[in-house]
Amino acid sequence: MPHAHSCPQLIQTDVRKIANFYAARLQQLCCPRPSFSLVRTVHAHMIASGFRPRGHILNRLIDLYCKSTNVTYARHLFDAIPQPDIVARTTLITAYSNSANINLARRVFDETPFFIRDTVSYNAMISAYSRNGDGCAAVELFCEMGRERLHLCPDDFTFTSVLSGLALVADDDRQCRQMHCAVVKFGTESNVSVLNALISVYMRCFSGSSAVLARQLFDGMLDKDELSWTTMITGYVRRGDLDAAQQLFDGMKEKFDVVWNAMISGYVHHGFTGEALEMFRRMYLEGVVLDEFTCTSVLSACANAGLLQHGKQVHAYIIRMDPTPEPETSLPVKNALITLYSKCGKIYEARWIFDGMCLRDLVSWNAILSGYVTLGHIGDAQRIFNVMPERNLLTWTVMISGFAHNGLGEEGLKLFNRMREEGVSPCDYAFAGAITASAGLGALEHGRQLHGQLIRYGFDSSVSAGNALLTMYARCGVVEAARCMFLTMPCADSVSWNAMIAALGQHGHGTGALDLFERMLQVEISPDRITFLTVLSACSHAGLVKEGCEYFKLMNGRYGIIPSEDHYARLIDLLGRAGKLSEAKGIIEKMPFKPGAPVWEALLAGCRIHGNMELGIQAAEELFELVPEHDGTYILLSNMYATVGRWNDAAKARKAMKDRGVKKEPGCSWIEVSRSVHVFMVDDTKHPEVPEVYGFLERLGVEMRKLGYVPDTKFVLHDVESEQKEYVLSTHSEKLAVGYGLLKLPAGATVRVLKNLRICGDCHTAIKFMSKVVDREIIVRDGKRFHHFKNGECSCGNYW
DNA sequence: ATAGGGTTAG
């Protein structure tokens, strides 16, 4: 291109020649994504040389600015035209549509006088709606075109555009058939693109007959293109009919990359990781180029199956193929890598990928956020959440359930409210998170309210929300409501079964839990590792030692689930509660791996129930070594030493703890305040004060009924009446002991509670109730929070 | 000047 100062020569020649010169320059720039600076240079050159673009040259310039994704420049040019023609207007409509600015596109369309509107401009506007997800508006505009602009004939472009919009909203095939008639009426039924779009719409309808119709159209096509095959195959994949998709795929003579990718992603989406990887292997062996779509799907498959090594191989392949990938094209691949590493527990690698990205989208942020959340790194997750440039429903949901599943129910509920305040409408997963948060707080009333709202939102058939409700009711002690949820759920999955078995087990219905487990096997829902954890617990609480040991053997023997440390811990718990302490010790010695904290905790619990001080101290010492930062062990161990009169060891334990940098002083716990009650006492059935605790609980139950007090949970009444007293005492012991201890305090005393004891749920109810029964004001401090109990009511807030 | 397929986050 000549430099600006050489232009005077050009100006002297024919103006037509100059126009041709610029038309040719602009023509050279034509491509899907022209460079903005080049377009700008040519434009500047025109201005410098005194050439004023008009007509098709101006339109072309507007188009180039639009395609270089600089709609603002295009708009400036457009605004300067006194009466822009239909071509310029259509260009601008398309540009706004491409930048997802549907309202601006519509405004340009509306400002176009009726008499100059043509089919192309309607097509552009219809397609703008379709591409931006508003299928209804696309169909509506198509109808308007037929009603009001009768001289305008819809063409093949019109039908492909409106059909792709219809595909977003059609569920029954009535509208599809109507549109099919219109296609025939306007003679576009032999156009390949229209047929492809029609097949796509029919494939998305619910009825099976529409899929058959689509297949008939497909089979009748003489000139199928790549898109026809892809549409048909992805249609089957979307319907979950992977066999039909595979059959069609196998029948293809020449397979191209897109159908390979469609098959792989279809298998990944429906959870068939093995099939996805097998397709990937075949694709590789047949020498098809593995592009970013392939890699992304395969990485996702590896992430879902936890196949870190396979995923790493793909990662290596990506680096080898494309050492300097374009930032934008490789974005989904990077996102999938973040997910791969975080799902395989490698959060540092995930973060490394994330930090190394020069361009991040919402998916990248959500991927790293959910990585932190699922690994329990709530602090990191919260930091990410706070600095995210944008958020969507998924972001909120992940963070809410992250709080809920990490014991931060209050934060979860607060965030749920904040989300709604910011105008984000919750989905069923968000409700599930909030319900789980309520469950963690023991806030039954709140949970019930959420249940009501959930129904109003129409999410009552959601499996995830149903499971959350089931668990919430169970944890708040309303087993009947949990059972009702379970029975009325339209499609209970293994999570629902596990939750219901757990609910029965936790509330003393051990045999009921085992019956339900047998029923689960009968209806052929495969038990998973969680099922066996639950079943072992149920056996443990019901004292069904023989059955528990049988199931433990069955787990690996019949179902191929290798027992994890948690399973061993449950087994030890089962034996320990039944008093078979030496047997439990024997299993610990023969375990295939080094016993960790959960195993020793289980043994310790057994020793506490049966007063086996010798073994108990041994377990506590092991625990002390493994988790020196755990305050509970420290207090327990020194108390145990004290109980058997080993005062020096008790002092040594406290000192050793202090030396390891544990800042917590013994004086912080309520034990020191009330002196007359010890945690250890509550669990030791041989301890002289235990009958007193039983008596207290029974009196409490009677008083509660007498006063007509309806507690949030059935904690005391239910548990004390059941036969599983040992279990009740060990799960609720600390909470009850706190309550018991509080009664013995001088009036108005401020109490600090053990770190692992949250003032919530059962404990909250108990103290509320007691403040009424004994007519005392009780103030409890729990971290930064304070709870003020008076006359059966409670007000809480931040302490400072 | 206008259309259509395969990718990632719970």
Side-chain angles (χ1 to χ4, degrees):
Chain A
M1 189 178 57
H3 230 263
H5 59 251
S6 63
C7 286
Q9 296 165 311
L10 281 167
I11 288 166
Q12 283 157 20
T13 59
D14 190 5
V15 178
R16 220 194 166 93
K17 243 180 170 172
I18 304 174
N20 286 341
F21 168 79
Y22 283 119
R25 292 295 153 273
L26 293 177
Q27 184 68 44
Q28 284 175 351
L29 294 178
C30 269
C31 67
R33 282 288 290 275
S35 144
F36 168 67
S37 60
L38 285 181
V39 179
R40 185 88 190 93
T41 311
V42 177
H43 186 196
H45 193 272
M46 288 180 191
I47 295 166
S49 65
F51 176 78
R52 296 185 62 83
R54 248 178 284 208
H56 72 277
I57 294 190
L58 181 60
N59 286 345
R60 173 57 62 85
L61 197 57
I62 292 174
D63 186 34
L64 284 170
Y65 273 129
C66 288
K67 289 196 173 120
S68 70
T69 64
N70 217 311
V71 194
T72 326
Y73 269 81
R75 183 76 213 208
H76 284 319
L77 281 178
F78 180 85
D79 286 339
I81 312 172
Q83 275 172 334
D85 65 7
I86 190 64
V87 176
R89 291 174 194 269
T90 308
T91 305
L92 209 57
I93 290 172
T94 310
Y96 281 133
S97 160
N98 288 338
S99 52
N101 243 323
I102 195 71
N103 292 334
L104 288 175
R106 180 70 203 215
R107 197 179 299 169
V108 176
F109 183 78
D110 284 339
E111 284 163 1
T112 308
F114 274 105
F115 60 89
I116 69 164
R117 289 188 193 180
D118 60 1
T119 303
V120 180
S121 58
Y122 268 96
N123 292 350
M125 195 60 226
I126 291 171
S127 130
Y129 280 127
S130 297
R131 287 210 281 184
N132 286 282
D134 195 345
C136 292
V139 175
E140 210 168 290
L141 193 63
F142 172 80
C143 296
E144 186 191 305
M145 181 183 173
R147 268 199 313 274
E148 293 175 29
R149 310 248 69 84
L150 288 172
H151 65 282
L152 291 183
C153 226
D155 59 8
D156 41 358
F157 280 86
T158 321
F159 283 113
T160 31
S161 301
V162 72
L163 282 167
S164 75
L166 185 59
L168 304 171
V169 288
D171 33 26
D172 69 277
D173 52 4
R174 200 179 48 84
Q175 263 185 314
C176 310
R177 285 174 195 277
Q178 277 177 4
M179 202 61 84
H180 194 168
C181 290
V183 165
V184 176
K185 191 167 143 199
F186 286 96
T188 51
E189 81 275 19
S190 55
N191 180 284
V192 182
S193 300
V194 174
L195 276 172
N196 289 342
L198 205 52
I199 291 171
S200 171
V201 176
Y202 274 126
M203 283 306 278
R204 284 182 204 234
C205 290
F206 288 149
S207 73
S209 65
S210 57
V212 176
L213 200 78
R215 184 58 186 262
Q216 279 169 0
L217 285 173
F218 175 80
D219 288 338
M221 282 172 80
L222 298 172
D223 43 359
K224 297 184 188 76
D225 61 5
E226 284 197 352
L227 196 81
S228 319
W229 287 95
T230 318
T231 307
M232 203 61 217
I233 287 177
T234 54
Y236 280 131
V237 165
R238 203 174 284 122
R239 292 176 152 261
D241 192 349
L242 290 161
D243 289 336
Q246 183 72 54
Q247 230 168 32
L248 202 58
F249 175 84
D250 288 337
M252 285 179 78
K253 284 198 193 76
E254 276 177 52
K255 302 175 174 76
F256 48 96
D257 52 353
V258 177
V259 277
W260 280 103
N261 291 338
M263 285 307 298
I264 292 175
S265 74
Y267 280 127
V268 175
H269 243 112
H270 291 88
F272 301 108
T273 310
E275 283 81 356
L277 293 176
E278 173 57 23
M279 284 302 272
F280 175 64
R281 202 180 63 87
R282 274 178 62 192
M283 185 179 179
Y284 179 75
L285 291 177
E286 291 192 20
V288 187
V289 180
L290 312 174
D291 63 8
E292 49 174 311
F293 291 93
T294 326
C295 293
T296 310
S297 294
V298 171
L299 285 172
S300 168
C302 296
N304 292 338
L307 298 168
L308 181 61
Q309 289 313 317
H310 288 73
K312 274 187 171 172
Q313 282 176 23
V314 179
H315 191 179
Y317 173 86
I318 293 163
I319 295 169
R320 208 164 53 235
M321 286 296 108
D322 204 3
T324 51
E326 267 182 65
E328 279 177 57
T329 51
S330 64
L331 192 58
V333 177
K334 294 267 177 62
N335 293 342
L337 280 169
I338 296 176
T339 309
L340 169 79
Y341 284 116
S342 67
K343 277 201 181 162
C344 294
K346 304 282 177 196
I347 194 68
Y348 293 106
E349 283 83 347
R351 183 60 192 249
W352 186 77
I353 302 275
F354 179 83
D355 285 339
M357 290 165 76
C358 48
L359 203 77
R360 301 180 192 106
D361 64 1
L362 186 53
V363 178
S364 331
W365 286 95
N366 282 342
I368 194 75
L369 178 77
S370 83
Y372 280 129
V373 162
T374 44
L375 293 171
H377 298 206
I378 283 300
D380 290 312
Q382 217 173 347
R383 273 186 284 281
I384 290 284
F385 183 86
N386 289 337
V387 299
M388 281 173 73
E390 53 171 335
R391 303 185 185 109
N392 65 0
L393 179 55
L394 191 116
T395 319
W396 291 97
T397 307
V398 167
M399 199 65 228
I400 291 166
S401 58
F403 279 136
H405 289 285
N406 285 282
L408 299 163
E410 206 170 299
E411 282 82 350
L413 288 179
K414 266 188 200 154
L415 203 65
F416 184 70
N417 290 335
R418 206 181 116 197
M419 173 181 97
R420 301 173 82 174
E421 276 162 22
E422 295 193 13
V424 182
S425 184
C427 61
D428 56 338
Y429 284 97
F431 268 109
I435 291 163
T436 306
S438 312
L441 295 169
L444 178 62
E445 232 6 86
H446 201 107
R448 281 198 175 124
Q449 280 172 22
L450 287 168
H451 190 173
Q453 288 169 25
L454 183 87
I455 293 169
R456 256 171 278 144
Y457 270 79
F459 295 135
D460 40 342
S461 58
S462 156
V463 180
S464 52
N467 289 341
L469 279 168
L470 201 172
T471 313
M472 188 273 293
Y473 283 124
R475 281 188 67 176
C476 292
V478 198
V479 191
E480 270 319 304
R483 197 201 301 273
C484 182
M485 283 307 303
F486 180 71
L487 292 175
T488 55
M489 273 172 76
C491 34
D493 62 2
S494 63
V495 178
S496 330
W497 284 83
N498 291 349
M500 194 62 225
I501 294 171
L504 292 172
Q506 280 161 7
H507 290 87
H509 310 291
T511 42
L514 295 190
D515 288 346
L516 194 64
F517 173 61
E518 291 294 341
R519 179 96 194 107
M520 178 180 179
L521 300 181
Q522 276 168 21
V523 296
E524 287 180 351
I525 290 182
S526 341
D528 54 18
R529 45 177 302 277
I530 307 287
T531 318
F532 282 101
L533 285 178
T534 310
V535 167
L536 287 171
S537 291
C539 292
S540 174
H541 296 149
L544 301 164
V545 184
K546 209 176 100 235
E547 289 82 349
C549 291
E550 281 301 310
Y551 285 131
F552 188 85
K553 276 184 217 146
L554 212 65
M555 179 165 65
N556 195 7
R558 192 182 300 169
Y559 298 99
I561 299 166
I562 296 157
S564 68
E565 195 189 343
D566 287 336
H567 292 103
Y568 273 99
R570 303 286 163 111
L571 184 65
I572 301 300
D573 186 76
L574 171 76
L575 295 167
R577 278 176 205 278
K580 301 185 186 265
L581 292 165
S582 52
E583 226 170 286
K585 185 79 202 317
I587 285 176
I588 293 179
E589 278 158 6
K590 278 185 284 177
M591 268 170 58
F593 33 71
K594 198 174 172 290
V599 171
W600 290 117
E601 269 170 25
L603 184 67
L604 178 59
C607 294
R608 289 167 81 184
I609 294 167
H610 296 281
N612 187 332
M613 210 57 63
E614 194 192 332
L615 206 52
I617 287 178
Q618 198 189 330
E621 281 171 343
E622 294 280 355
L623 259 179
F624 192 48
E625 290 295 320
L626 284 167
V627 271
E629 68 281 1
H630 194 262
D631 311 8
T633 317
Y634 153 58
I635 291 160
L636 190 61
L637 188 58
S638 58
N639 279 349
M640 286 172 82
Y641 283 138
T643 310
V644 294
R646 289 165 65 176
W647 303 108
N648 289 343
D649 285 326
K652 236 188 275 172
R654 290 187 184 204
K655 188 177 176 299
M657 194 70 182
K658 218 169 163 182
D659 293 346
R660 279 166 209 254
V662 176
K663 295 207 178 69
K664 190 138 183 141
E665 285 293 316
C668 289
S669 78
W670 61 273
I671 305 168
E672 293 288 320
V673 180
S674 70
R675 287 193 189 277
S676 57
V677 185
H678 300 277
V679 172
F680 184 70
M681 175 269 310
V682 182
D683 276 337
D684 183 3
T685 45
K686 293 196 187 88
H687 196 284
E689 279 193 57
V690 166
E692 197 184 328
V693 177
Y694 275 122
F696 164 71
L697 292 178
E698 265 151 38
R699 279 204 308 282
L700 201 62
V702 174
E703 292 294 321
M704 279 173 116
R705 287 201 185 98
K706 232 192 271 172
L707 291 173
Y709 188 93
V710 183
D712 282 354
T713 72
K714 291 185 178 176
F715 79 105
V716 178
L717 297 176
H718 176 85
D719 289 342
V720 169
E721 281 163 5
S722 81
E723 296 145 21
Q724 316 302 328
K725 290 192 178 172
E726 297 94 333
Y727 159 64
V728 171
L729 282 180
S730 66
T731 49
H732 292 304
S733 61
E734 285 162 320
K735 292 170 185 174
L736 297 176
V738 169
Y740 184 70
L742 286 168
L743 288 178
K744 297 196 169 188
L745 295 178
T750 298
V751 179
R752 287 183 69 172
V753 179
L754 294 176
K755 193 178 146 209
N756 58 346
L757 226 180
R758 309 268 317 164
I759 293 294
C760 64
D762 301 339
C763 189
H764 210 273
T765 316
I767 303 172
K768 236 161 53 175
F769 178 71
M770 279 183 295
S771 73
K772 185 161 184 170
V773 174
V774 300
D775 192 22
R776 286 256 306 260
E777 209 170 316
I778 303 169
I779 300 165
V780 180
R781 219 173 101 182
D782 175 19
K784 279 185 185 170
R785 307 270 300 157
F786 75 84
H787 304 254
H788 184 200
F789 298 89
K790 195 181 173 183
N791 198 25
E793 297 292 325
C794 173
S795 55
C796 3
N798 285 328
Y799 203 76
W800 311 115

